[in-house]
Amino acid sequence: MDSDRRKILRFIGKGSVLAAFLGQIGAAGRAFYPNVLYEPPSRFKLKRPNDYPDGYTFVEAHRLFVIRQKEAFHVISAICTHLGCTVQWKDTEFDCPCHGSRFNPDGTVISGPAPRPLDWFATTVSPDGFLEVDSATDVARDFRLLVGKGKA
């Protein structure tokens, strides 16, 4: 009876060591498979320039504002730099509804907990005539994309 108990305990002990060893081999093998981060592309197309009215147009799908001033365009992120809430355009300024940050029309901070201005994104016109935004590339606050009437 005592030797049966020892056999069972020995079997459990050896099985535990084997399971730990196989677990380590599996974890080491996992290192050969890269982690893939599935994010939306940073470069994407919007509408044609003529489809935007003068002023501030919110693009919900990409959380940004397209600003048109006659034939000049620029794109500002609608993501608050404090905690990532979506800011809203309120006649003369951007307001964050979450924690009260306020931003000038050019995205610079007026007040609130936001630590830095809203991002401005690089904007071009694609060969097929659509506005194309690269949200991975910031541009200066005086950037304007000029679109002539014959081009759009």
Side-chain angles (χ1 to χ4, degrees):
M1 192 98 156
D2 197 31
S3 77
D4 287 341
R5 189 181 318 162
R6 287 179 191 221
K7 285 181 184 177
I8 291 172
L9 290 174
R10 194 174 297 132
F11 178 76
I12 291 173
K14 288 180 181 179
S16 298
V17 169
L18 179 63
F21 179 71
L22 292 175
Q24 289 295 319
I25 295 293
R30 173 67 181 92
F32 292 106
Y33 296 96
N35 291 329
V36 178
L37 187 59
Y38 295 101
E39 291 183 348
S42 65
R43 191 172 192 87
F44 49 87
K45 290 182 183 178
L46 299 175
K47 297 177 187 176
R48 294 181 185 277
N50 287 337
D51 295 337
Y52 290 99
D54 275 351
Y56 291 71
T57 303
F58 179 62
V59 180
E60 186 175 0
H62 298 287
R63 293 178 66 192
L64 54 80
F65 285 91
V66 175
I67 294 94
R68 179 176 186 173
Q69 297 163 322
K70 297 188 176 51
E71 299 304 317
F73 291 83
H74 60 280
V75 175
I76 298 178
S77 172
I79 299 172
C80 181
T81 56
H82 177 232
L83 290 177
C85 296
T86 302
V87 298
Q88 300 168 348
W89 176 248
K90 301 282 184 164
D91 295 324
T92 60
E93 64 186 30
F94 294 104
D95 290 334
C96 179
C98 298
H99 301 105
S101 292
R102 294 174 40 231
F103 302 87
N104 282 318
D106 69 350
T108 55
V109 179
I110 298 172
S111 67
R116 60 184 181 78
L118 298 173
D119 294 323
W120 280 47
F121 298 140
T123 309
T124 58
V125 176
S126 66
D128 56 353
F130 291 88
L131 284 181
E132 192 170 50
V133 176
D134 185 357
S135 62
T137 305
D138 291 339
V139 294
R141 301 213 173 289
D142 59 353
F143 171 82
R144 299 292 185 275
L145 173 67
L146 296 176
V147 178
K149 292 186 182 199
K151 295 180 183 177

